[in-house]
Structure formats: C-alpha cells, structure tokens
C-alpha cells in the first residue's frame, strides 16, 4: 500500500496506543523511585508526537521513493486566516543561478565532478513553485493594490510589501521528500512572530534531480527576491532585510548558498537560521551511531521499496553487490573515494592495468572490475602505512573502456576521459582487517563519491569564515548533533578547524578560500536537551516555543539594524536596551483566527491578571511560561554569561574590560560566539568547555570519511529489503524495459513528425533561436529553456538523474514534454504528436493527449481533485490540539498557583485572627 492518509493511520494507530502505555509505565517507575528529574519524554504530548513522526518516516521506507514524495508534495490549501500567495519563479531566475554555479565550479570541475553544465539545468516545469506567506492581520491597503488589472493574488503581494522583514525558508526532508506544503504551518508561525513575511521555495529533489539541482533552485529563489524578474509584483528585497532559514537538508542548502554568495562576491543576507543542518553526508561523526534511539531518523537510514527510480540497481546481482571485501590495493585509501582529477601517473597506471586485464579476460574491464592477486591485497594498516594515494574527489558514472587505446595521444600522454574512479573503500574499526569496498549509492542526494565535496557536505568547506551572522540550533538527542556542533565552531574559528588536506589538494577554490576567508563568523549555537532532529516540528513543547521566539527576535535584530551595528553585535540577546516584545506576540495566543481588537484586549487583560496572581512559583518545574517570558529570561542569562567570561569574545577584544549595563543604552559588543544548552523548560545555560566536547576533538583527517559502522548499519537494512522485495525488484526491471521501449518509440515518432534538433549548440544557444513549430503542434520553443534531455552529448549525469534516463515513467514524461510542449532553445522544430501516441496517452492515467504530462513528483505538486482530509492537515490538527492542551496546562498551572496562593493567604489570616483572639490584652 502506498503512502496515503489511510495507510499512515493504519500504521501509526498501534504506535500511539503502545506509546501511551509505555509512557504511563515509565512515569510510574519514576514516581515510585522518587525521580524528580525533568526530561523531554515526561511530556506525553512530545512522547506521542515523537513516535508518530518516527513511525511515519519508517512507513516511508516500506514504500517507494515516489510514493513518499507524492504524499508530501500534495498541494494542501492554506488556512483561511493566513495570506498565502503562490508564485512562479521563472526560468530567467533559474538561468541566473545556473550562471553563478558555472562560474563557481569552473569548466574542469563541472566536467570531472558535476558531470557537465547542462543536465542539472534541465527541468520539467517552466518555473519553480514558491509562496509568499504572512498573517492576514498584517496586510495593508495600498493604492497600487486597487489596480483593476491586477489579480487578487498580486494585490495581496502588494499589500504585504510594507513588511520589510523577509525570511527565505528552505524546507528539509533529506533532499528527496517534503515540500512547501509540509512546512507551511511552521513558516506561518515564523511570519507571525517576526511580524514580517516569508517566502518558501519548492526546489527540485533527488534522486530524480540530484546535486546540484536543489542548490540551483534555492539560489534562483534568492535572486528572484533581490532582483525581481520582469512580471514579478514585489519590489526588490534588499539583502540587508532578508534572512535565510531552513531545517535539516534545507538548512545545509542555506549554508551552502552562503558560501557560494561569499565566494562570488554577491551580497549575503542579513543573517541565517540553521535548524539541525545536515552538513556531513559521509556520517563521520560519533553521534550518528550513538543517538539512533533518541532520534526520528530511520534505524537503517533512508532505504526504500524498489521502484523504476530507486535504487539505481534494484537487485544486488550481476556485479552490483552492495558491499564487498576490496579486491585491490590503494588508491583509494580506506575511508576515501577515488580521485576524479588524477595526475598523469595515476591515469597511466590504471590504463595499463585495465588493458592487461581486458586482454586476459577478452572483454572490457572497468575500474570497478579490477582485481589484484588475493594474496597481494593488503590489510588496512598496511594500506595506510604504504600511503601514496590522495583522498579523492567525487565520481562520475563509468564509461566504456572499449576505446581506451584510441584515447592515447601521440606524445604518450593519456586523455583523462578514460579515467574511472575505483569504488570507495570503507575505513574499518579493526586496522588489521581488509577494508570493505562500497559499490552501491547510499545517499539519494549525491553519488557516494560526491559526498565529500564541500558543496554537498559543507562541514568540509576549507573555510566558513566571512559569512553573515548564524543562529544554529540542534537537538541533543539527534544523530546530527556532533556535526552541527562542529560546523558552528568551524564557522566561528575558521583557522582552528581546517579542512583535511585532500579537500584542499583537490579543490582550487578551496585552496584559495582557506587563505582568503579568515574573518570569524559570528555564531549563536544552542543545543536543546532531549530534543530530536528538527525540534521546531514539535511546536507545542517549551523548547520549541522558546526556539520560535528566539528565531523571530534574531530575524528582527539582523534586519532592523545596520551592517555596522551588526558588526559590533549581531546577537539580539545583547541588544541594549532590550527589544520590546508586545503582549500579543506571546505564545499564549495560538496560531489561528485572530480575535477582534476588543476581545484581544480583554483576553490579554485577563491573562495579565492571572500571570501577576501566579507570579509566585514560576520557576518550579511544573510552571510553564510563555515564549516571551522564556526569551526575556534568556536575555538576562546571556548577559551573565558574558560577564562571567563564558561567551567567546573577538580575538582583538578578548582581554577587553567592557562592562554590560542594561540601562547604559549601548549593546554588549565584541562577542564572537555564544554557546549554550537549553533545557526542556526553555531555560539556557552555558555549554561545557570545548575540551569536553567529543565532536570537537576529532582531527581534520577524521572528518568526511566513509566509516564501517554506518555502512554496516545501512547494509543490514538494505539486505533485508533486498530479500523482502526480491519479486518487486524483478518486476521493476521489467517495467524499466517497458519504459525504455516507450521512450524509443516516442523519439522515433518525433523524428517522423519532423523533429529537428542540434545535438551540440554553440554558446549563443542560450539566446532565442527562432525555432519553428510544425502545423498542428501544441507546443513552443522557449528561448529561456537552455537544455533538454536530447542535449547531453559529452555529459555524464549521475545514474539516478531522470534527465539522462529513459527507463522511468518520469523520465519519459520529461522527454515527451521537452519534445512536444516546451522545447528548449536547441530544438529547431516542435512536432505534432502522432495520432497513435495521442490515443495511447488518452488511456494512460499519467499522460494526456493534449496537455503536457504530469512531471516528476519531486518537482511538480500533486493537485488532487478533492482532499477530504489529507494527512498533512491531520498532522497540523494534531499539533494544534497539542498546542491547546499545552496552553490549557499553562493556564491551569497558573490558576492553580493563584488559587493556592489565595488559599494559603486566607489560612494565614485566619490563624492570625485566632492567635490575636487568644492573646490577652496588654491592659
């Protein structure tokens, strides 16, 4: 059964019951033992929500990637009380982003590492979906908004134009699932609390559109905001009024975008909020294994039921065994992938070895097929002692070796095109063991050999200095905790946490950046006790309430103050006098339809009375405080941290004797980094010294390695799936052959109908080519659409990219649309669809005889005919229920404290009167 609301309910309901029983049992044991410690699991709402989310993600692993993508990319209407306006980011913004990435990579890295400059620019839609979001209560009438020629959506965009604080939010989802629909309610909350507007982007996702496709789309959204293309209604958003924010994979994309902007000299935003950023896709930090039980990440990672899309090799047969004991000596060294930009000596060695073994076997031998004599294969320790190999750059898909001899130049040099990286070797825990060799792609976002690229795993950037202020949040119970802590310190101390030598050796730009960007980045790091990955999902917890308020105050501070001011102090907690937070911004007012102004005043007045009456005891474990109260307490705590010398100061100011008086009217300045932990009640405390943090004791050469424990954990799950879905895998292979035949027939018929295409276009092909349209054609040549699936000569897209495939339904849909509907500039004609193909399309539920076929669910939203109650709306309803329960608990606790105070006072008064009656008069 695919991922649907019904299947999710069936799968999750037993989990809810089981969690409730386990929770009651655990609380009973704590009560019996007299355990008074406060933990996140003590809250039944968090306990249930945690297991609901974990169960849903595990359900996704039992289904195909496309099924999970379709469920989480289904369009869900926005709540009526918010202003949510869909927009389309045009191809012109996409092309501007592509040009920036082409400049960043350079021609050699584009060819060797990325696989070319064309395939990742290919997309199904003529736009990227985006949304403007704010509260309806914040809209303002303008004269331009009454223009009769404008649509209602365009008028709404103009009515929110006065809100100069803008958040560009990039959703998470492991780079392959999730959408603007899954995160809309969270973004609405940000917009409300920061009293501004937010913009979200539905970027293309892996594995159909792997790295660097999502990166291009997020860059396009940034350019769309700061440089609106013709036809856009909004005014340009100054970078100084813009904050990048994201969670998980989205947060990592934000960090990567910042490094690209910095490297190219493009203005950066005012700041960035990184919530649980996934910055190390090699899984080389300890918490990846240690925190598996306390996180929502599936136990074996993201493995899935086989489909025509994923895994690339559905069956571990025919030379595609997932993991084997290595049959060759270095290169590469254990823990590394092979080199994509080798020197002439390495190229010649491999060519000679492959030529010799090809002659022996009488067939082509690829790099993955090479074998040394078994008795000559060394142990890991011997390989490391031998040395002589370089940590590798990413890998491209393999090419045939049939013409190796023809690749030799007359002077004896070997053309690098024949080079094929050997499979990565796994770093073993036992140094005397023979290393394993990884032959399958583990992550959906990038090939295994690409995982160590700095734009894939930002923790491997040579420098994270010279960036805008960063606010980084992590859960202490999440698998990514260690890499998040490490990347925060790396940004604040770029020279103390260098990249390993292999990254510097293989990347020209990384070498330059290590010397060029040494200015520390201002960082506020907070690690939340007992919280899992992306704690902001659980909006009803005290930790999340504090986090939302703190994020909103950070956005306000960096967008409301000048660049010069932020150089002195980018931290809102150190702003003096403290920023005002209106009573209406308290978490006590749950997100939802707003009360009218009179009702609001009455509601706030009653609440203030109850708060003042319940002032006694607000620091007890059972007394919940509003997010505003929590934040105000944090301001005081941070000031005390600075006074005690626990906050890191800028090197030049390390011995400064600056004082921090709240009534001085001046910010507390010269602070470089604030390092804190936050308990489950939202109270902050200083983080332990650097020396006591395990993640910060790792050496540069230990980071970004492929290690045994994560590989074996993934392999155990993948092997179980291979066995469970063996018959499904056989069916997948048959379906792939079906789609390949369909694609070939489509191409043959297009040629018969008059398709004319230039396989290789000169650079000016990016301009309008004046393509012609066949009589009866329903399509057009789009001058802004640079490339299509037929433009991949000399390109090497990753194996999962549908731009280079013909064996999935989505690849065929992309091909058909690029031929018959929205042709790229390289097409000279747009043919008419053949009648027989139109008839077939009429009977295909995923096709249409006239309209373009539905594009990949990783890109195009699913728009159901009717949505009685989609799972995403059910989840939001649960969150709102938990919020109301949490709010009621707060109010109940305050009323209880107030009643107890009055009762105690009455008793004391009564005792006092009794005593006075019993004491005889002095006379």
């Amino acid at each position: 059964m695919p991922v649907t609301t019904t299947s999710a309910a069936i799968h999750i309901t037993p989990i809810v019951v089981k969690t409730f029983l386990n929770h009651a049992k655990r609380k009973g044991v704590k009560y019996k033992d007299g355990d008074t410690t406060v933990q996140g699991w003590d809250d039944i709402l968090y306990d249930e929500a945690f297991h609901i989310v974990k169960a849903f993600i595990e359900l996704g692993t039992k289904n195909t990637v496309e099924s999970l993508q379709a469920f989480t990319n289904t369009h869900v209407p926005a709540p009526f009380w918010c202003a949510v306006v869909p927009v389309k980011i045009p191809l012109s913004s996409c092309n501007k982003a592509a040009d920036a990435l082409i400049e960043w990579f350079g021609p050699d890295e584009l060819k060797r590492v990325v696989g070319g400059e064309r395939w990742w620019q290919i997309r199904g839609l003529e736009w990227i979906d985006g949304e403007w979001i704010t509260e309806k209560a914040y809209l303002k009438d303008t004269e331009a908004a009454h223009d009769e020629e404008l649509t209602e959506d365009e008028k709404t965009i103009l009515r929110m134009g006065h809100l100069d604080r803008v958040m560009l939010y990039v959703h998470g989802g492991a780079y392959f699932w999730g959408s603007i629909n899954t995160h809309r309610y969270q973004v609405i909350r940000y917009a409300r609390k920061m009293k501004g507007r937010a913009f979200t982007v539905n970027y293309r996702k892996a594995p159909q559109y792997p790295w660097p496709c999502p990166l291009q789309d997020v860059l396009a959204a940034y350019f769309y905001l700061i440089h609106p293309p013709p036809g856009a209604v909004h005014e340009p958003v100054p970078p100084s009024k813009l904050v990048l924010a994201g969670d998980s994979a989205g947060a990592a994309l934000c960090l990567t975008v910042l490094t690209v902007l910095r490297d190219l000299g493009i203005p950066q935003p005012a700041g960035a909020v990184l919530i649980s950023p996934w910055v190390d896709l090699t899984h080389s930090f300890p918490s990846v294994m240690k925190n598996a039980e306390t996180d929502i990440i599936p136990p074996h990672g993201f493995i899935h039921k086989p489909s025509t899309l994923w895994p690339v090799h559905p069956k571990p047969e025919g030379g595609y065994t997932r993991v084997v004991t290595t049959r060759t000596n270095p290169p590469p060294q254990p823990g590394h992938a092979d080199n994509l930009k080798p020197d002439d000596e390495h190229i010649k060695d491999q060519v000679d070895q492959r030529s010799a073994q090809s002659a022996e076997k009488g067939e082509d031998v690829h790099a993955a097929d090479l074998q040394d004599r078994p008795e000559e294969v060394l142990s890991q320790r011997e390989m490391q002692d031998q040395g002589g190999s370089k940590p590798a750059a990413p890998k491209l898909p393999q090419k045939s070796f049939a013409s190796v001899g023809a690749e030799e130049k007359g002077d004896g040099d070997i053309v690098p095109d024949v080079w094929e990286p050997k499979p990565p070797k796994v770093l073993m825990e036992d140094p005397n063991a023979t290393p394993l060799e990884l032959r399958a792609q583990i992550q959906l976002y990038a090939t295994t050999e690409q995982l160590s690229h700095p734009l894939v795993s930002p923790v491997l950037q040579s420098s994270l200095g010279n960036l805008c202020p960063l606010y980084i949040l992590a859960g202490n119970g999440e698998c990514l905790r260690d890499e998040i802590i490490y990347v925060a310190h790396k940004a604040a101390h770029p020279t103390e946490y260098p990249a390993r030598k292999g990254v510097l050796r293989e990347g020209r730009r990384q070498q330059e950046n290590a010397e060029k960007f040494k200015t520390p980045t201002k960082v506020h790091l907070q690690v939340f006790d007992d919280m899992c990955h992306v704690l902001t999902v659980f909006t009803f917890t005290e930790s999340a309430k504090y986090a939302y308020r703190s994020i909103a105050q950070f956005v306000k501070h960096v967008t409301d103050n000048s660049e010069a001011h932020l150089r002195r102090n980018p931290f809102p907690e150190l702003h003096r006098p403290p920023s005002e937070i209106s009573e209406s911004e308290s978490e006590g007012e749950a997100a939802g339809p707003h009360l009218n102004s009179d009702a609001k005043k009455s509601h706030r007045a009653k609440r203030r009375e109850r708060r003042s009456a319940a002032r006694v005891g607000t620091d007890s474990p059972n007394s919940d405080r509003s997010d505003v109260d929590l934040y105000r307490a944090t301001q005081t705590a941070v000031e005390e941290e600075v006074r005690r010398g626990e906050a890191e100061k800028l090197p030049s100011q390390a011995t400064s004797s600056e004082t921090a008086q709240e009534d001085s009217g001046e910010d507390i300045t010269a602070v470089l980094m604030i390092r804190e932990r936050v308990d489950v009640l939202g109270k902050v405390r200083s983080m332990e010294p650097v020396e006591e943090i395990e993640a910060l004791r790792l050496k540069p050469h230990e980071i970004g390695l492929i290690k045994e424990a994560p590989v074996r954990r993934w392999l155990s799950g993948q092997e179980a799936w291979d066995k469970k879905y063996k018959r499904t895998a056989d069916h997948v292979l048959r379906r792939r052959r079906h789609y390949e035949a369909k694609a070939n027939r489509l191409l043959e018929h297009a040629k018969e109908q008059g398709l004319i295409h230039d396989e290789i276009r000169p650079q000016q092909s990016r301009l309008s080519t004046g393509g012609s349209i066949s009589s009866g054609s329903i399509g057009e040549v789009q001058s802004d659409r640079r490339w299509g699936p037929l433009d991949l000569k000399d390109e090497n897209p990753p194996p999962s990219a549908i731009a280079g495939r013909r064996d999935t339904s989505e690849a065929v849909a992309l091909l058909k649309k690029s031929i018959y509907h929205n042709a790229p500039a390289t097409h000279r004609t747009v043919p008419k669809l053949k009648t027989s193909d139109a008839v077939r399309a009429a009977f295909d539920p995923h096709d249409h005889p006239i309209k373009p076929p539905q594009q990949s669910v990783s890109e195009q939203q699913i728009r159901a005919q009717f949505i009685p109650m989609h799972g995403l709306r059910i989840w939001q309803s649960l969150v709102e229920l938990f919020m109301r329960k949490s709010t009621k608990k707060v109010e109940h606790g305050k009323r209880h404290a107030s009643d107890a105070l009055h009762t105690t006072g009455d008793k004391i008064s009564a005792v006092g009167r009794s005593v006075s009656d019993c004491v005889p008069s002095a006379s």
Side-chain angles (χ1 to χ4, degrees), residues 845-905:
H846 302 292
D847 205 346
H848 197 281
I850 299 176
K851 299 178 181 178
Q854 171 79 21
Q855 293 301 293
S856 170
V857 290
S858 67
E859 178 184 19
Q860 185 172 3
Q861 296 181 67
I862 303 294
R863 296 186 179 269
Q865 296 297 323
F866 60 94
I867 306 179
M869 197 58 176
H870 192 271
L872 297 180
R873 302 188 77 171
I874 293 176
W875 168 252
Q876 180 55 32
S877 298
L878 283 174
V879 170
E880 290 177 349
L881 173 64
F882 291 169
M883 285 293 295
R884 287 194 294 271
K885 292 287 186 182
S886 177
T887 302
K888 286 181 180 178
K889 185 172 67 173
V890 174
E891 298 300 336
H892 174 75
K894 291 179 178 179
R895 286 198 298 272
H896 178 76
S898 178
D899 293 342
L901 182 63
H902 287 303
T903 302
T904 302

Side-chain angles (χ1 to χ4, degrees), residues 68 89 101 129 157 163 189 234 298 311 322 335 377 407 417 453 472-473 497 500 503 568 572 642 705 766 810:
L68 180 59
I89 302 171
L101 287 178
D129 284 328
I157 293 174
L163 300 169
R189 183 176 295 274
H234 69 279
R322 312 293 183 195
V377 178
E407 298 286 353
D417 287 351
H453 192 278
I472 303 176
L473 300 85
Y497 297 89
R500 55 184 171 86
V503 173
R568 295 194 302 272
V642 175
L705 301 183
R766 296 180 182 178
E810 294 179 330

